[in-house]
Amino acid sequence: MVQTNVVRATMKSSRVFTLILSIGFVSIIPQVMPLPSDCVCDLNNIETPFPHNKLRTVETRASTCNRNITPQQSTEVEIMLLGLDRRLPRLEADIALLEKEDDGDLFGTVSLQVIQQERAEILQLINKLNSTTFNYQRLNRETTQEVNELKNEIEALEKFDTMDVVKGLEVNKRLKRDLDQCQNGHHPTDPPPEPAPGNCPLGRLQNVTGPNTYSATEYGGSYTYGSWGRDPKPAAGKESWFWMVPLTVSNVFSNFVRLYSSLSSVVVGVSVPGTVAISPSNPTTNTIQGPNVVMYQDSLYYNCYNRDAVCRSDIPLKTVTSVALPGGTGFNSKYNFCHLDSCYGYTDMDLATDESGVWVIYATAGNFGNLVLSEVIPGSPPTLGRTWNTSAHKRAVTNTFVACGVLYATRYLGKEAEEIFYSFDTVTGRERYNIGIQLRKMSTNIQSLNYSPVDHMLYAYSDSMIVSYQVHFV
Ligand SMILES: *[C@@H]1O[C@H](CO)[C@@H](O)[C@H](O)[C@H]1NC(C)=O
Ligand SMILES: *[C@@H]1O[C@H](CO)[C@@H](O)[C@H](O)[C@H]1NC(C)=O
Ligand SMILES: *[C@@H]1O[C@H](CO)[C@@H](O)[C@H](O)[C@H]1NC(C)=O
């Protein structure tokens, strides 16, 4: 009887100690002191110690692996593929048009140049794509091997999990998740609701209605190019003011802005308080170049004369400062807004305003003539904030504007309609080519288009007429 008890105690204690030892990862042969009842235990740790160092190495290698392939890299390839996907059909369409224009021996030279340029850029894009994917393939091969090795190591480590501790934790996690879902009435089969794009609570841009305003300017039909709108952050007392900049020299330059105390003053053409000069003559240093101008915090932002730079003219102080755009930025009609029939001259840079401030949209050789978006941080001089490369080709776009941190681009559908077809969300980096919102046009061309966060209107300058549209969000 006594003998049996001793044996039992030995077995029991041995298991308990073994378990404790395999959790504690120490390898000792414990000496158990004899109990008062003279019961003797002889314990042996039969487990190998847990290889802590090995686990740490595996963890380090796994995190290196994660760093090697980032979501940004796959996004880069995706953007390039998307760009190609959009531009090949466009090249095809342009070539078809060129063939139609062929009147026997005279090709439309302008179209031919556009096509040659497009072709060169597509080739560049393909080369970049090839070299990028080539690098990623190599990275992928290395990563696959690394992942396989890690898998083997982990399997080896699992053998040490004799207590099923890890498995137990997994089961607990699953149970906890199920419980949470149950409590919150969450049904895992429901797709998560799509967050509103951009960074403001207005929601998704659903539709554009109008025109609300459609009027000649005080200059009648004199100036085809220009822009107008409202200052989203006006100085006190100027809340209802409007501004207009007609390009008075060659459809390219202007050296003043006209100010109006209300919308009806713009429509009846009574400019009070009147003209503010931006530069002494026209054109010269600091002259406004191109139609895509905006007003923000009592300053006019525009493409500086003959430079790849954004100028800021402080209206009350009458000073002009500027910030240069990145190297390779197009100016002097290198990367214009275009449609099939023609390009809008000197529209390389498009200034925009939204809820968060001022933006500039342009194109660079480095990004293959595709749209690039930068924040403009107001100041004297202004500076550039964050920048994003997109896959939308600038010359395939007629205009851009920014609303709630989302860049939108339009294209020409016909004489009666323009379409907001593209968006780039600066919060998620997501691009879409299927926006499909139409703008009803009153005349063929829209030379400038800008969003006003104050009243959620789009202000357009269209063949010397001023037009506005209401933007609806849901
Ligand atoms: C793609 O890139 C690789 C590596 O740079 C090069 O060897 C290969 O010739 C390229 N292929 C094409 C079609 O350009
Ligand atoms: C957008 O507005 C137009 C014009 O008011 C209307 O005909 C159309 O149904 C609207 N579309 C949506 C999706 O609301
Ligand atoms: C945009 O692309 C150019 C050319 O590849 C590159 O130099 C630049 O760093 C890119 N900018 C961003 C913000 O990714």
Side-chain angles (χ1 to χ4, degrees):
M1 213 44 186
V2 169
Q3 185 64 20
T4 325
N5 273 344
V6 171
V7 171
R8 264 201 206 131
T10 307
M11 285 174 63
K12 218 171 166 183
S13 307
S14 167
R15 256 186 75 199
V16 169
F17 266 88
T18 305
L19 297 186
I20 291 168
L21 291 176
S22 66
I23 300 170
F25 312 116
V26 274
S27 176
I28 50 164
I29 297 174
Q31 298 285 313
V32 175
M33 296 308 289
L35 294 171
S37 63
D38 248 13
C39 180
V40 176
C41 298
D42 189 11
L43 292 183
N44 255 323
N45 175 24
I46 52 156
E47 298 286 336
T48 340
F50 187 84
H52 261 301
N53 287 341
K54 218 164 190 173
L55 182 63
R56 264 196 294 277
T57 317
V58 168
E59 274 169 7
T60 317
R61 285 173 68 186
S63 84
T64 315
C65 226
N66 268 344
R67 274 200 302 276
N68 279 347
I69 293 198
T70 63
Q72 198 203 339
Q73 284 170 336
S74 32
T75 310
E76 205 181 314
V77 171
E78 255 168 46
I79 284 181
M80 280 195 268
L81 284 175
L82 204 54
L84 266 187
D85 192 37
R86 298 294 148 175
R87 283 159 76 165
L88 290 173
R90 168 143 190 117
L91 181 65
E92 223 171 282
D94 284 359
I95 288 173
L97 189 87
L98 180 73
E99 281 167 357
K100 252 193 279 166
E101 275 177 13
D102 179 10
D103 58 3
D105 36 37
L106 204 69
F107 276 91
T109 38
V110 174
S111 317
L112 191 56
Q113 270 173 11
V114 168
I115 284 168
Q116 278 169 346
Q117 187 64 34
E118 270 182 11
R119 190 182 145 275
E121 282 165 2
I122 285 175
L123 278 182
Q124 259 183 315
L125 196 56
I126 288 173
N127 282 338
K128 173 109 192 270
L129 192 60
N130 176 42
S131 62
T132 310
T133 46
F134 195 79
N135 280 341
Y136 290 170
Q137 272 168 14
R138 184 182 49 77
L139 211 52
N140 247 333
R141 270 198 305 278
E142 286 169 6
T143 310
T144 307
Q145 194 187 341
E146 182 83 345
V147 166
N148 277 337
E149 283 170 17
L150 287 178
K151 193 167 144 256
N152 292 340
E153 300 243 337
I154 289 285
E155 272 167 11
L157 285 176
E158 265 172 11
K159 295 208 181 86
F160 287 93
D161 189 19
T162 47
M163 297 280 298
D164 286 347
V165 175
V166 176
K167 248 188 244 169
L169 284 178
E170 285 298 312
V171 170
N172 278 350
K173 251 194 255 169
R174 208 166 49 235
L175 283 176
K176 186 163 180 310
R177 197 181 55 223
D178 288 351
L179 187 64
D180 282 350
Q181 278 173 0
C182 214
Q183 278 170 344
N184 301 334
H186 176 78
H187 304 290
T189 45
D190 287 351
E194 187 151 330
N199 56 7
C200 75
L202 291 173
R204 188 171 53 82
L205 195 161
Q206 185 212 22
N207 210 353
V208 174
T209 53
N212 290 31
T213 306
Y214 172 63
S215 170
T217 71
E218 59 176 305
Y219 302 102
S222 298
Y223 304 120
T224 315
Y225 281 65
S227 55
W228 77 301
R230 293 180 79 157
D231 183 341
K233 280 263 160 64
K238 300 184 181 176
E239 288 81 2
S240 61
W241 284 23
F242 282 74
W243 58 267
M244 181 175 67
V245 174
L247 297 186
T248 53
V249 173
S250 320
N251 287 333
V252 181
F253 309 111
S254 184
N255 66 338
F256 66 87
V257 53
R258 295 282 277 172
L259 299 175
Y260 305 86
S261 58
S262 67
L263 180 60
S264 43
S265 311
V266 189
V267 172
V268 298
V270 178
S271 173
V272 176
T275 293
V276 173
I278 301 293
S279 119
S281 62
N282 196 0
T284 185
T285 317
N286 293 341
T287 298
I288 300 163
Q289 175 167 308
N292 294 302
V293 172
V294 295
M295 186 97 124
Y296 189 81
Q297 275 178 341
D298 242 359
S299 293
L300 197 73
Y301 290 82
Y302 57 95
N303 178 2
C304 311
Y305 170 67
N306 196 29
R307 285 178 61 200
D308 51 353
V310 172
C311 270
R312 170 182 181 266
S313 172
D314 187 310
I315 302 287
L317 294 179
K318 300 201 182 310
T319 53
V320 178
T321 50
S322 66
V323 57
L325 293 174
T329 294
F331 66 110
N332 288 348
S333 275
K334 181 172 165 68
Y335 294 122
N336 281 330
F337 289 133
C338 300
H339 56 80
L340 277 186
D341 293 337
S342 64
C343 288
Y344 300 116
Y346 295 84
T347 53
D348 302 85
M349 271 156 246
D350 187 4
L351 277 299
T353 52
D354 80 340
E355 286 74 5
S356 62
V358 184
W359 305 81
V360 59
I361 298 101
Y362 52 101
T364 61
N367 195 32
F368 314 105
N370 294 335
L371 296 175
V372 178
L373 173 68
S374 290
E375 289 173 320
V376 178
I377 316 289
S380 190
T383 52
L384 292 186
R386 294 172 296 168
T387 290
W388 294 266
N389 289 330
T390 77
S391 72
H393 192 43
K394 183 137 187 299
R395 276 190 280 248
V397 159
T398 50
N399 250 296
T400 56
F401 63 92
V402 180
C404 282
V406 178
L407 169 70
Y408 294 92
T410 61
R411 67 180 167 199
Y412 180 91
L413 286 188
K415 283 184 172 17
E416 281 87 37
E418 206 86 348
E419 184 197 11
I420 302 171
F421 74 103
Y422 169 86
S423 72
F424 178 90
D425 187 332
T426 59
V427 175
T428 59
R430 182 169 174 215
E431 294 193 291
R432 289 181 56 190
Y433 279 91
N434 59 350
I435 303 297
I437 296 174
Q438 294 197 10
L439 259 63
R440 195 159 69 89
K441 281 192 291 191
M442 305 306 282
S443 50
T444 310
N445 302 295
I446 294 181
Q447 284 81 9
S448 72
L449 185 68
N450 189 42
Y451 167 75
S452 162
V454 180
D455 47 17
H456 306 155
M457 301 287 280
L458 289 176
Y459 289 97
Y461 194 102
S462 177
D463 293 328
S464 79
M465 303 294 280
I466 51 172
V467 191
S468 72
Y469 299 89
Q470 182 76 53
V471 179
H472 303 276
F473 295 90
V474 284

